[in-house]
Amino acid sequence: MNFAIEDSAEQGTFRKEARAFIEEIVPSTLEHMADPVDMSYEQYQIRRDIGRALGERGWLYPSMPKEYGGGDLSAENVAILHDEMTRIGLALPPYYDAGGRMGAPTILVWGTDEHKKRFLPPICKGLVRTWQLLSEPGAGSDLAGIKTTAIRDGNHYVVNGQKMYVGSSHGADQSWTIVVTDPKGERHKNLSWLMIPMDLPGITVTPMDLLATGGEGGSGCGVKNAVFFDNVRVPADNLVGGENNGWKVATTHLEVEHGGMGRLADRRAITDFINVCKEKHDGWAIADDPDAREEIVNLYIESEITKLFALRNHWLSHTNQPRSYEGSQYSLRRKLSGLDIGEKMVRIAGPLVLTKDKRWAPVNGAIEYFQRDSITALHPGATTDIQRVIMARRLGIGGREKEKAANLR
Ligand SMILES: Cc1cc2nc3c(=O)[nH]c(=O)nc-3n(C[C@H](O)[C@H](O)[C@H](O)COP(=O)(O)OP(=O)(O)OC[C@H]3O[C@@H](n4cnc5c(N)ncnc54)[C@H](O)[C@@H]3O)c2cc1C
């Protein structure tokens, strides 16, 4: 991967093409909200339309193979596409699609040809939205301890149980879900993954009221939910990766979730914050103060380091390089630097930064949301403690055998 600040001639041409296309498909009615809970159904639909337009060109999931609706783009061009989406305050995908973003690369590794042909194109073309359903009231960090069962009955699995902290506002078409298929089986050998259509009878979705839910790049998810399954009959051919082989499948899913492929979406609030610090109000800018200037530079460096880790992982995965602890390293870094950046923002600009007053009016509460989000962001996709545990195992520290990174691609 080329880290040059200037694009090559070829990359420059692609950037122009991407920018022109994105400008063409993004309507003037697109609004940005600091807290994704405030995203209306109409604004969500605008993001879905943008997703479908990108998907038609293979640009919604640009790293995925063309035959499944992806773009097969180079690592550099994928990074350019992310850049250009970030420029207009959106992520790729431009809506919450965690089950697609993490399920699709997992199905690519573990699905049969039939699964790939059936599940991947609708995700890559933006025709469906997919949630990821892992956590339960008694099983977050200890994912192997889940209790939701899926018991085979003829051509179906009958699903019963509860997931929590999952999904988003405005529903989903399907959920990429880990379940117990052998309740009496040995731990780690009793699990499977099902793609569950969300319109099946027996599914109830109940919103949860959390401090924040993630607003990364304008594609934020809104609310999180508890999902209840009451005798839900799921077609048996929706089981991906083999019955009771779900822990192996989970290792791939979790590798993606922990950041093994990098996550190139930027946190818009950081750019917004720095821009406001540079603006003069009554002849004075926050950045005029030398102490503030020093802290702003530190804050910027923090965010750049995280971005570089993401880019490195993106490149490692795109070029199929051997990997070990890098996914968890990026995740840990991202979570801790988010907290640190949040604290720095208040130190630099004072508590007014958390309001919509005066010079902070244009960012419309984005920094206040950043504070809340940087706290809750410590949890999803494995907590900071768990990321440390994984890194230690992969570095061969501790009593256990040195752990290998999971399969990607
Ligand atoms: C905003 C948000 C979005 C989320 N989105 C989703 C989603 O889309 N889908 C989904 O399935 N889940 C989602 N989750 C759930 C998330 O995955 C869990 O919160 C996370 O895995 C932690 O599990 P837990 O909350 O049950 O905490 P616990 O596992 O109970 O952990 C409690 C504390 O103990 C520590 N701990 C636990 N085990 C160990 C250990 N072995 N070593 C050291 N320390 C340990 C943890 O670090 C934590 O500090 C989301 C959560 C949040 C907050």
Side-chain angles (χ1 to χ4, degrees), residues 30-91:
L30 176 78
E31 288 169 13
H32 295 287
M33 53 292 307
D35 188 336
V37 165
D38 299 329
M39 191 188 295
S40 65
Y41 183 69
E42 287 69 31
Q43 284 296 316
Y44 162 63
Q45 286 304 333
I46 288 175
R47 285 157 171 77
R48 288 297 305 274
D49 287 343
I50 296 171
R52 278 185 282 265
L54 287 164
E56 231 170 79
R57 236 177 143 135
W59 285 4
L60 182 63
Y61 280 95
S63 300
M64 291 289 285
K66 266 193 181 148
E67 65 175 310
Y68 302 124
D72 252 336
L73 297 190
S74 67
E76 287 83 357
N77 283 357
V78 173
I80 287 173
L81 259 185
H82 276 272
D83 249 17
E84 291 303 315
M85 291 297 282
T86 299
R87 212 176 63 84
I88 55 149
L90 291 178

Side-chain angles (χ1 to χ4, degrees), residues 179-207:
V179 288
V180 175
T181 34
D182 180 5
K184 294 194 178 132
E186 206 182 312
R187 188 176 153 89
H188 294 124
K189 293 185 178 161
N190 56 347
L191 306 168
S192 305
W193 286 82
L194 283 174
M195 190 62 95
I196 303 183
M198 288 301 280
D199 58 357
L200 291 177
I203 301 179
T204 311
V205 177
T206 309

